[in-house]
Amino acid sequence: MAVANMLYEKDVTTNYMQGKKFAFIGYGAQGHAQANNLRDSGYDVIIGARPGKSWDAAKKDGFEVYTVAEAAKQADVIQMLTTDEAMSEVYKESVADNLEAGNILGFSHGFNIYYKEIVPPADVDVIIMAPKGPGNLCRRTYKEGFGVPALYGVFQDYSGHAEDEAKEFAKGNGAARAGLLKTTFKEETDEDLFGEQNVLMGGLTSLIETGYEVLTEAGYSPQLAYFEVQHEMKLIADLIYEGGFNKMYADCSNTSEYGAYIVGPKVIGPESKKAMEDALKDIQDGTFAKRFMADYRAGFPELKKLRERSANSLLSRVGAELRSAMPFVTEADKYSTPAN
């Protein structure tokens, strides 16, 4: 198996981004983190936002804030960090007409370029810098002197040095302290959506919900079932994060390890693999993107229905009740209604 060519700060030696003005379009989790990190790395950063919460937050953090159109017009580098679903509208309404030849159009997810929701002009560089972690973690680790790894890549190289620009952008974000991996817009989009849907979010939550249903329908305590299938998930995930499956198994009992080996493949077996393969095809051929964008343009009726179902499930309500008694859970539990 080929070893990935991971790059670090010492490997990023060009300075094409020096002296350029960056406009971050959107000041949410990623926008906030990247803008602050780049500013702290010595870059000239402004924010493009709509009046409201994000505008006020950026002002409070000491940034010059403009409308999206004004920010795009001023900038050499326009980093698109709105939500996937709104990005093409924002681009068409406020960014497209303000791009100049030689500008750099940046993304942290390939969705809109890959699915042609955004079609950039031929005379700009189009790059991706995708941190492999949530915005708050990117910011916190940067301030601690480290960072989270990132992917970098190029969709369009007008200048002849777009790849170096992407690497410099990642370095300015602190990601080169942890490691950079080269990717493409297609690869990043396919793998990111696949991971979210099948393992990290969709697969994980469905596995927890199904395990919870089996236990409670068999007459076991809803509260104990919550601890077994959801609460302890973080503890197991932390062990895997620290040292892979081997560390996780080594830190657990022989009984649990033996059971995992013989039962796990029965639960996540050939049918699950086939479902994942089908999901990947839907990502690759655009079926998922079309369904998602159609739901968005209709006002998200399907998403709202699914979100409500999740928030009001017995598992969510029991979990909210139990977390309210846990002093070590500091984040306000505002997403679920406690069980009666």
Side-chain angles (χ1 to χ4, degrees), residues 197-274:
Q197 295 172 16
N198 292 273
V199 181
L200 303 176
M201 295 173 66
L204 177 61
T205 54
S206 294
L207 185 65
I208 291 171
E209 287 177 341
T210 302
Y212 186 80
E213 290 172 1
V214 169
L215 285 174
T216 54
E217 288 170 8
Y220 293 95
S221 161
Q223 289 76 21
L224 293 182
Y226 167 84
F227 277 111
E228 287 299 329
V229 301
Q230 180 166 327
H231 179 80
E232 289 190 40
M233 185 67 71
K234 179 186 184 306
L235 309 179
I236 298 299
D238 284 347
L239 292 173
I240 295 173
Y241 174 83
E242 292 167 5
F245 292 167
N246 292 338
K247 176 175 173 55
M248 180 268 292
Y249 286 133
D251 283 9
C252 295
S253 69
N254 291 334
T255 314
S256 62
E257 181 183 8
Y258 180 77
Y261 290 144
I262 64 171
V263 176
K266 296 178 182 178
V267 176
I268 308 298
E271 289 185 0
S272 296
K273 185 175 181 181
K274 177 62 167 59

Side-chain angles (χ1 to χ4, degrees), residues 151-185:
L151 306 180
Y152 71 93
V154 175
F155 175 76
Q156 187 167 280
D157 186 4
Y158 173 73
S159 69
H161 42 71
E163 183 173 319
D164 288 323
E165 293 167 349
K167 289 188 286 188
E168 289 176 35
F169 194 169
K171 182 177 180 178
N173 197 48
R177 301 169 182 173
L180 309 179
L181 281 174
K182 187 175 180 179
T183 190
T184 64
F185 276 68

